[in-house]
Amino acid sequence: MAATAPTHSAGHRYRAIKYTYDVASGSWEKEPIRVSFSRRAFQEGGMRLCFRACEYDKNGNFVECVAKVFKPELHAADHEYYDEAMTQMIAESHAQEFNRKSRTHKVALLPCNVLQIQDGRLGGSKLCALEPYLPGDYVKHNDNAGAVETNEAVPQAFSHFTYENSNRLLVVCDIQGVGDFYTDPQIHFFDGEGFGSGNLGLDGLNRFLNSHACTSVCEELRLPPLRPGETDEQMARRLQAEESKPPPSQAATSHPEDGYSSSSSSDSSWRCMRRNAGSKNLEEAMRILRFQ
Ligand SMILES: [Zn+2]
């Protein structure tokens, strides 16, 4: 934490409860903090207002942050803040796996928390998302509708990686940020459950599959070429076929046909998805995949 003055004009220090999603346990941890916000938003997107913020520790040291609130006219439900923070932390768990697999490229999702402001509001809201402030040039690489917006190899390969790393049940997209530090991702999950309003389910997965062109980084990671999107029935058939294969402890790879191993997918990611998505389809998929 820094001890110099904030780079923005920090006002009142509010009391807040900071909620952090723990992917390994699938639970939220909470801690009381002090936080200040800039008086005006410094950035405005289609859905959210972004304020500069500082998170203070007991000694008055602080970390420069960005606080994001949904625009009041959207009447966002509270769970949307938690969905988005959880999405970002799960995307980060895939980033850690990406970093273990890639020898030359590292990516990271910024840690994202939910703040419950105890003695005030920000942009009319008691809740906001809080993440570290990231200086630099902000670039959007792809969106959640299948559009590819830059030709940089790493972000596109990261999206492809998440598809294989999740046994083709999800894709992390809307890759944007500064350098290889990303923020505000979206997750398309095959049954459309959980992960916020940007989750377009199978339609979102198919949009990604139809638009992605493999890069040199995909090759380095030995990601198999993408196949046309699956219907629910085709996916169920594939998962059932995998059930008849030896479990990961006896088989080196879940995709022997392409040499790409997803058997090391983070069990913890799956456990937390199962808890949070609350879908019968998902329960069934998890049963078949033997992640219980
Ligand atoms: Zn690829």
Side-chain angles (χ1 to χ4, degrees), residues 36-110:
S36 66
F37 306 108
S38 61
R39 287 182 177 77
R40 292 184 182 168
F42 74 97
Q43 213 170 53
E44 181 175 344
M47 297 179 68
R48 293 187 296 186
L49 300 170
C50 300
F51 296 79
R52 296 292 297 273
C54 283
E55 177 188 345
Y56 298 88
D57 70 11
K58 291 177 201 159
N59 301 318
N61 297 319
F62 63 87
V63 176
E64 301 249 16
C65 297
V66 175
K68 302 175 182 179
V69 294
F70 288 105
K71 291 181 176 177
E73 59 268 31
L74 297 177
H75 305 292
D78 288 356
H79 71 81
E80 295 187 53
Y81 285 96
Y82 294 94
D83 285 347
E84 293 209 340
M86 188 186 80
T87 296
Q88 194 150 325
M89 299 304 271
I90 288 176
E92 165 59 13
S93 73
H94 284 278
Q96 290 175 14
E97 192 73 17
F98 178 96
N99 295 343
R100 278 191 281 274
K101 295 262 169 70
S102 174
R103 291 177 188 168
T104 49
H105 301 286
K106 303 294 173 204
V107 298
L109 275 293
L110 293 179

Side-chain angles (χ1 to χ4, degrees), residues 216-228:
S216 57
V217 180
C218 299
E219 289 170 21
E220 179 211 315
L221 291 165
R222 299 182 64 203
L223 298 174
L226 292 174
R227 301 163 189 168

Side-chain angles (χ1 to χ4, degrees), residues 156-157 160 208 212-215 218 223-224 226:
Q156 313 304 340
H160 184 170
F208 167 74
H212 175 78
C214 277
T215 70
C218 299
L223 298 174
L226 292 174

